[in-house]
Amino acid sequence: MSFSKNVKATDVAKEMEEKIIEIRRVAKVTRGGKTMSFRVVAVVGNKNGKVGVGIGNAREVPQAIRKAIQDAKKNVKEVPIKNGTIPHEVIGRHDSSDVILIPAGPGTGVIASTPVRAVVELCGATNILTKSLGSTTVLNLAKATMNGLEQLKSPLMIAQLRDITVKQIFSGAHKEA
């Protein structure tokens, strides 16, 4: 039973907020010269536990943006957010980028780099500490953050896996004799 289930793009298309985090000009070298195109990295989320990251490539920027947003809506995942933060500490990895996500108390705010901030804010976390390690490529950091968020489990889910109550998770799982 996985909490980070896929959600259909048609269900969430109306309520999602979009954010473009990178527009990059890329070139393919051919025999006749260079073919220029644009790569766009976009994040979509409803600020209530659903977020997705997408990539779009096209010869023109508006088409690349449209493709990236469409791809992000296809890759929307559900994330457990409680009281504006994540339930537990987690490390997300993608290629050579590592992102440590740490829950924070109220009033802390989002302490993160630009790509990590975009993903975390659109998933609905308002108080979170992060640390980026390794490569600082925008795409790798965004995907590492998504990887970390997908690993999160809610206290209810952990209780069901361990066959105990949610109260026992926080106070200690001692069996009565």
Side-chain angles (χ1 to χ4, degrees):
M1 184 172 142
S2 177
F3 193 80
S4 61
K5 62 183 178 186
N6 283 328
V7 184
K8 286 190 179 177
T10 53
D11 299 340
V12 295
K14 297 159 191 91
E15 61 195 49
M16 290 293 185
E17 194 175 312
E18 305 158 354
K19 195 178 276 190
I20 307 299
I21 55 175
E22 183 186 46
I23 298 175
R24 175 174 278 184
R25 191 179 79 173
V26 293
K28 180 172 111 178
V29 179
T30 59
R31 198 174 65 181
K34 293 179 183 174
T35 306
M36 296 294 182
S37 63
F38 294 91
R39 185 189 75 188
V40 174
V41 179
V43 182
V44 297
N46 67 350
K47 293 192 174 184
N48 199 16
K50 292 180 185 173
V51 68
V53 174
I55 311 162
N57 279 309
R59 288 227 179 155
E60 296 175 8
V61 176
Q63 289 175 341
I65 290 172
R66 182 184 48 77
K67 285 181 178 181
I69 291 171
Q70 193 175 2
D71 187 42
K73 286 179 180 176
K74 262 192 253 176
N75 298 320
V76 168
K77 305 282 184 192
E78 230 171 81
V79 178
I81 298 293
K82 184 75 174 171
N83 298 331
T85 191
I86 56 176
H88 56 87
E89 189 173 322
V90 70
I91 299 174
R93 291 188 170 91
H94 187 266
D95 289 346
S96 63
S97 293
D98 296 343
V99 176
I100 302 171
L101 304 169
I102 305 165
T108 305
V110 177
I111 299 172
S113 62
T114 307
V116 177
R117 175 183 294 272
V119 175
V120 166
E121 282 180 346
L122 288 179
C123 85
T126 54
N127 298 303
I128 189 167
L129 301 169
T130 67
K131 179 64 184 164
S132 303
L133 303 170
S135 172
T136 56
T137 309
V138 172
L139 179 60
N140 286 350
L141 284 177
K143 287 196 168 195
T145 306
M146 277 300 295
N147 177 275
L149 292 174
E150 287 172 26
Q151 293 175 36
L152 291 173
K153 290 181 172 54
S154 68
L156 178 66
M157 199 173 171
I158 293 170
Q160 289 173 346
L161 287 171
R162 296 180 187 177
D163 200 28
I164 57 176
T165 64
V166 176
K167 186 179 177 188
Q168 286 176 315
I169 289 175
F170 294 109
S171 62
H174 302 292
K175 296 269 184 184
E176 283 87 33

